Amino acid sequence: MTRRIFEWYPVFSCRHLDAKKVEQMNMTELTRLEHQLDAILRQTRVKKTQLLMESMTTLHDKEKELGNEKEVLEKQITAWINETGENNQQQQQPLAIPPPPPPPPPAGPSGGE
């Protein structure tokens, strides 16, 4: 698409416009250049919008896919937890948690006199 634009607009046959060339242009050439730049800018914005819309569509599809995958994984985890919980209840005895150790005794006054 870019190549066709440059074919339509001979001013852009080179990679960029030299400032000296622009300074040498008369009013008619500058007006034509302005219209050409406007047309290319509009086409660039259309292409950018198109690419952004395609990207958004792809991301929305990926979001739905990940949401579905999340649901499946949550169901698998719930089933696994329920399954292992039942097995553990049958095999597990209550755990006794030991009390924390007592704090160290306070330091007494030093008796050096």
Side-chain angles (χ1 to χ4, degrees):
M1 184 171 197
T2 305
R3 182 164 282 171
R4 286 195 316 235
I5 293 171
F6 291 149
E7 290 170 2
W8 295 340
Y9 305 111
V11 173
F12 295 106
S13 60
C14 60
R15 189 101 171 125
H16 56 40
L17 288 173
D18 190 5
K20 292 178 185 176
K21 289 180 186 177
V22 173
E23 289 175 6
Q24 296 171 357
M25 291 180 171
N26 62 30
M27 184 60 108
T28 305
E29 293 170 327
L30 287 171
T31 303
R32 190 177 83 220
L33 175 61
E34 180 182 17
H35 291 299
Q36 291 171 349
L37 289 171
D38 283 341
I40 289 174
L41 183 59
R42 276 191 305 275
Q43 290 178 347
T44 302
R45 287 180 177 154
V46 166
K47 181 65 175 177
K48 179 183 172 186
T49 301
Q50 176 189 359
L51 291 173
L52 285 172
M53 294 301 288
E54 289 172 2
S55 178
M56 284 176 53
T57 301
T58 302
L59 289 172
H60 282 295
D61 292 345
K62 184 68 174 177
E63 180 183 24
K64 285 168 113 177
E65 182 182 317
L66 289 172
N68 293 338
E69 186 176 334
K70 179 184 173 193
E71 284 182 29
V72 168
L73 291 172
E74 285 175 343
K75 288 177 183 176
Q76 289 176 351
I77 289 171
T78 302
W80 180 79
I81 288 172
N82 290 338
E83 192 177 290
T84 55
E86 290 172 4
N87 290 341
N88 284 342
Q89 284 179 349
Q90 293 170 359
Q91 298 172 358
Q92 194 175 42
Q93 297 176 357
L95 294 176
I97 300 174
S110 53
E113 292 184 65

